[in-house]
C-alpha cells in the first residue's frame, strides 16, 4: 500500500521522536535513568542482547561449519597470540582467513565484483508523508529507544565508563535521532545503536572515538566505490556466522561480567528472581504487543527488569 518513499517519511518522524526523548532525558536527569538500570537489571539485559542474537549467528554458520569454525579459530588465535598491529584486528584477520578458505571450496562468486562499476553514485530518494504510514513506523521508535539504552549500558560496561552520564544519554539519543532524520531525507535506512558493536569493542579493545570518526569518513568514501561494495557482498554467510558467534557470545559474557564486577548477590532471592525473569522473557521469544508496538527480546527484557526491580519487589529491597 505504501512505497519506500512513505517509509522514509515515517522514519523521519521516528527520528523526531528520538529528539523528543533526548530532550526529556535532559530535563529528567541522568540519575533517574541510571536508577532504572542498576547492575541487577543491566547485567542480564546485556546478556539477553547476546543470547537473542546467537541463533542468528549459528544459523548463518550452519551453511558450512568447517568455514565457520576455521573463522572462529583464527579470530580467537589472533586475540590470544598475535603481536603488534594484528592483535588489534582479530575480526578482520578472522574474516580474511575464512574468506580465503571459502574460495577453493567454491563459496565465493566474483561475478558481481567483475560486473560492478568502479564509481557508483548512491541512489537518493526524497521522502513522502502519509499519516497512516507515520502511525505504523514512528511508534517503533519507542521500542528502539529502549534497546538504545540497553546498548549504551552494554558499551559502557565493556569500556569501563558510564556512557549514560558522559557523553550523556541525551546526546546519544540526539545522535540517533538526527542521523535517522538525515537518512530519511536521503532515502537511506533508519539509524540506531547496534548490539554487534558491543562485541567488536570487547574483541578489539579499541575505544577511541577519533578512530570511529575516521572509520565513518572512510565508510562514506568507500560507499562510492562500486567494486568494494560488491566485494563485501561476496563474503560467504558461514564466515560472517563464525565471526558473529564470537561477537554475540562476548556480549552475553559482558552481561555476566557486569553482575560479577558489581557483586550482585544472587543468594538474595530478590536479585535471583529479577535476573531470572529478565532472562526468561528476554530469550524465550515471548512478545508483548501494545497496539502497533511489539516488544520482544532485549526491549521486553528491559521492561520486565525495570518493572520487577522498581515495583514488584520494592518492599523487599
Amino acid at each position: 500500500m505504501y512505497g519506500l518513499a512513505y517509509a522514509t517519511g515515517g522514519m523521519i518522524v521516528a527520528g523526531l521522536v528520538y529528539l523528543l526523548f533526548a530532550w526529556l532525558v535532559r530535563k529528567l536527569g541522568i540519575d533517574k535513568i541510571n536508577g532504572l538500570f542498576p547492575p541487577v537489571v543491566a547485567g542480564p539485559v546485556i546478556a539477553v542482547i547476546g543470547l537473542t542474537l546467537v541463533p542468528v549467528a549459528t544459523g548463518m554458520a550452519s551453511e558450512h561449519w568447517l568455514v565457520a569454525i576455521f573463522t572462529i579459530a583464527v579470530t580467537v588465535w589472533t586475540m590470544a597470540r598475535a603481536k603488534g598491529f594484528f592483535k588489534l584486528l582479530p575480526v578482520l584477520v578472522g574474516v580474511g582467513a575464512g574468506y580465503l578458505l571459502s574460495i577453493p571450496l567454491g563459496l565465493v562468486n566474483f561475478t558481481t565484483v567483475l560486473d560492478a562499476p568502479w564509481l557508483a553514485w548512491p541512489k537518493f530518494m526524497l521522502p513522502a508523508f502519509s499519516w497512516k504510514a507515520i502511525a505504523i513506523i514512528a511508534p517503533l521508535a519507542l521500542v528502539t529507544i529502549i534497546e538504545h539504552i540497553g546498548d549504551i549500558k552494554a558499551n559502557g560496561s565493556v569500556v569501563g565508563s558510564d556512557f549514560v552520564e558522559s557523553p550523556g544519554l541525551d546526546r546519544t539519543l540526539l545522535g540517533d535521532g538526527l542521523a535517522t532524520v538525515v537518512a530519511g531525507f536521503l532515502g537511506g535506512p533508519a539509524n540506531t545503536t547496534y548490539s554487534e558493536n558491543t562485541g567488536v569493542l570487547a574483541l578489539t579493545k579499541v575505544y577511541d572515538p577519533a578512530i570511529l570518526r575516521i572509520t565513518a569518513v572512510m565508510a562514506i568514501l568507500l560507499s562510492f566505490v562500486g567494486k568494494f561494495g560488491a566485494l563485501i557482498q561476496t563474503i560467504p554467510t558461514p564466515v560472517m556466522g563464525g565471526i558473529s558467534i564470537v561477537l554475540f557470545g562476548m556480549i552475553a559474557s559482558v552481561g555476566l561480567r557486569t553482575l560479577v564486577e558489581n557483586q550482585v548477590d544472587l543468594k538474595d532471592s530478590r536479585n535471583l528472581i529479577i535476573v531470572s525473569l529478565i532472562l526468561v522473557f528476554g530469550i524465550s521469544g515471548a512478545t508483548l504487543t501494545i497496539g502497533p508496538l511489539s516488544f520482544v527480546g532485549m526491549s521486553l527484557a528491559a521492561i520486565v527488569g525495570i518493572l520487577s526491580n522498581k515495583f514488584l519487589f520494592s518492599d523487599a529491597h
Side-chain angles (χ1 to χ4, degrees), residues 2-316:
Y2 299 103
L4 287 176
Y6 288 97
T8 57
M11 280 167 38
I12 291 172
V13 179
L16 296 177
V17 173
Y18 264 81
L19 301 186
L20 174 62
F21 268 81
W23 177 79
L24 289 174
V25 168
R26 189 173 184 84
K27 288 296 182 182
L28 292 174
I30 297 303
D31 290 341
K32 292 186 180 296
I33 302 299
N34 280 329
L36 297 176
F37 287 89
V40 70
V41 174
V45 167
I46 294 170
V48 164
I49 296 174
L51 293 173
T52 53
L53 291 171
V54 164
V56 177
T58 54
M60 297 166 65
S62 65
E63 293 190 12
H64 202 297
W65 274 110
L66 173 62
V67 172
I69 292 173
F70 180 74
T71 301
I72 294 172
V74 173
T75 303
V76 173
W77 183 90
T78 304
M79 286 182 61
R81 299 298 181 87
K83 304 294 182 181
F85 179 71
F86 287 101
K87 191 175 181 65
L88 301 176
L89 304 173
V91 175
L92 289 180
V93 173
V95 170
Y99 190 91
L100 292 176
L101 177 61
S102 300
I103 293 175
L105 294 176
L107 300 178
V108 181
N109 184 356
F110 291 105
T111 303
T112 55
V113 180
L114 296 174
D115 294 340
W118 279 103
L119 181 63
W121 187 256
K123 296 180 179 179
F124 297 110
M125 177 179 61
L126 293 176
F129 296 92
S130 164
W131 283 115
K132 290 184 178 180
I134 291 172
I136 294 172
I137 297 175
L140 297 177
L142 300 177
V143 179
T144 56
I145 284 171
I146 294 175
E147 294 178 344
H148 175 100
I149 297 173
D151 286 334
I152 293 300
K153 295 291 288 188
N155 289 343
S157 296
V158 171
V159 176
S161 300
D162 188 353
F163 289 157
V164 173
E165 183 172 348
S166 178
L169 184 63
D170 57 329
R171 292 188 178 185
T172 61
L173 287 169
L174 178 66
D176 268 3
L178 289 176
T180 297
V181 170
V182 172
F185 278 109
L186 296 177
N191 292 265
T192 186
T193 52
Y194 288 97
S195 303
E196 293 85 340
N197 295 333
T198 303
V200 173
L201 289 172
L203 198 60
T204 63
K205 293 182 171 55
V206 176
Y207 311 142
D208 189 350
I211 295 177
L212 300 180
R213 288 190 286 269
I214 294 171
T215 304
V217 173
M218 291 176 60
I220 293 173
L221 294 177
L222 288 173
S223 69
F224 292 90
V225 182
K227 288 192 179 297
F228 179 80
L231 181 64
I232 295 297
Q233 293 177 31
T234 65
I235 299 177
T237 299
V239 173
M240 298 309 299
I243 201 68
S244 295
I245 287 175
V246 178
L247 296 177
F248 300 160
M250 294 193 73
I251 296 172
S253 299
V254 168
L256 299 179
R257 192 184 77 182
T258 300
L259 292 174
V260 173
E261 289 182 345
N262 289 277
Q263 300 180 342
V264 176
D265 185 8
L266 292 182
K267 293 179 182 178
D268 185 333
S269 59
R270 174 185 181 275
N271 292 339
L272 187 62
I273 291 174
I274 292 173
V275 172
S276 301
L277 289 175
I278 292 173
L279 292 176
V280 168
F281 280 95
I283 66 179
S284 65
T287 303
L288 172 65
T289 301
I290 304 175
L293 303 179
S294 292
F295 298 89
V296 64
M298 194 259 282
S299 58
L300 179 58
I303 291 174
V304 170
I306 291 170
L307 293 178
S308 60
N309 180 61
K310 283 294 184 182
F311 301 108
L312 299 183
F313 303 99
S314 58
D315 293 334

